[in-house]
Amino acid sequence: MAKYTVVDKGECIACGSCGATAPEIFDFDGEGLAEVIFGGDNNKGVTEISADLEEVLTEAAEGCPTECIKIADKAFA
C-alpha cells in the first residue's frame, strides 16, 4: 500500500534524527527544520514514498522525539 509523509514543522526541534535515518526522504529547510525532500515533495505530503524506503520511513518516524513525522496511506493534500 502506498505511503505518504509530511513533517509538522511546528513540532520539529531540528534534532536531525530523521535525516540520519532516512536521508533519501528528509533534509533540513532554510530555517533548519526537517522537511520531506523525496521526489521533490517540498514537505507537501503528496509524493508516494517508494516501497523500498518504507522501512526507513517507519524507523525515522518512530525515532522522532517529537513525533512530528506523519505517515498516511493517502496524500496529505
Side-chain angles (χ1 to χ4, degrees):
M1 177 168 276
K3 296 292 180 196
Y4 299 83
T5 188
V6 69
V7 175
D8 179 348
K9 292 187 179 195
E11 298 294 320
C12 179
I13 60 171
C15 71
S17 177
C18 60
T21 303
E24 309 91 336
I25 302 173
F26 303 100
D27 200 358
F28 291 111
D29 65 11
E31 297 176 10
L33 299 174
E35 69 177 355
V36 178
I37 60 163
F38 183 78
D41 188 77
N42 296 318
N43 206 54
K44 293 182 177 126
V46 297
T47 304
E48 183 177 339
I49 304 299
S50 58
D52 62 319
L53 293 175
E54 287 183 16
E55 186 174 334
V56 293
L57 171 61
T58 301
E59 289 174 16
E62 290 174 352
C64 178
T66 63
E67 299 179 357
C68 68
I69 298 172
K70 309 304 179 197
I71 300 173
D73 294 335
K74 61 181 183 175
F76 284 87

